[in-house]
Amino acid sequence: MGAALAANLVGAGLAVVAHDAAGPERCPPGATHVGDAGQVAEKSDVVVFSLPDGTASEQVAREIAGTPGRRAAHVVDTSTIGVSAARDVAALLAESGIGYVDAPVSGGVAGARARTLAVMYSGTDDACERVGPVLAGLSDRRHRVGDRPGLAQALKLANNFLSATALAATSEAVAFGVAAGLDMGTMLTVLNAASGRSAATSDKFPEHVLTGRYASGFTNSLMSKDVRLYLRSVEDQGGPTAVGAVTASIWERFADAEPGADFTRIFPFVQHP
């Protein structure tokens, strides 16, 4: 995802300095790869995070805040790290005078490349205004959802919970129909014209399950992490968790059984437990 986002920023005409812990191979043409996040902070006014979890975001935030002679004055965090982690990272950066915009994304690598990625972001008026050109460079679909960090995370977690639940439920329903003798393609055509329609039936199943591609670019381990974050955040607020607990259990079992598998492979996991 980070490489696709960096490519979009290059395509928008922004000067991009990039660091990838995996090495320079994923650095897009037109961007300059450097050896660590500190060097990014030295050469950039705005630093964009695309990281796996809150621990990584906090670690990189500390590195940026502690970089001598840094230029970076704002951070845009596109990672999904949870409500409390976003607030913690924002507070950590604020101590060094760095503004933070919470900006998780939804739509996968394909959505990033097509600039249809949903960028949901929250932060102070000043911070959001200062990073506006960067947000515009990321995607054509942007939604400001609040005036403080953590609110965009809350919306992203709700979104991923719904996505995870729909994909797991659709897997069970399609497995049932196929076992009863229905053709999967026929099922999807009818479901997409009826009340059972969702992103699972309109996108994930036609593009990845029916074709056997299973190449959405998002892993079951990340989805399991996101659902756990959602469930933890709901529990912190004393909210309802009946469906969330079931969904989290399914994804945890899938991630434990096939760690790192594409998340659309939940269908064969459900079909043949």
Side-chain angles (χ1 to χ4, degrees), residues 13 41 67 80 128 130 151 165 172 177 201 205:
T67 298
T80 302
C128 290
R130 296 294 182 90
L151 293 177
T165 303
E172 284 197 4
T201 63
F205 264 76

Side-chain angles (χ1 to χ4, degrees), residues 74-175:
H74 291 86
V75 165
V76 173
D77 196 347
T78 69
S79 321
T80 302
I81 63 175
V83 177
S84 61
R87 292 172 179 166
D88 290 345
V89 172
L92 185 160
L93 291 170
E95 292 176 358
S96 297
I98 302 172
Y100 179 84
V101 175
D102 172 22
V105 299
S106 177
V109 174
R113 289 172 177 159
R115 296 189 58 82
T116 59
L117 201 70
V119 179
M120 49 203 91
Y121 67 99
S122 60
T124 65
D125 291 345
D126 179 69
C128 290
E129 181 178 355
R130 296 294 182 90
V131 305
V134 173
L135 293 170
L138 293 175
S139 177
D140 295 330
R141 299 183 180 179
R142 304 175 302 280
H143 310 272
R144 188 179 180 192
V145 302
D147 60 1
R148 61 190 186 277
L151 293 177
Q153 289 293 323
L155 186 51
K156 174 61 188 298
L157 293 181
N159 175 84
N160 276 26
F161 164 65
L162 290 173
S163 175
T165 303
L167 189 54
T170 301
S171 294
E172 284 197 4
V174 172

Side-chain angles (χ1 to χ4, degrees), residues 164-191:
T165 303
L167 189 54
T170 301
S171 294
E172 284 197 4
V174 172
F176 157 72
V178 169
L182 288 167
D183 172 74
M184 186 187 297
T186 300
M187 285 191 73
L188 295 173
T189 298
V190 176
L191 289 170

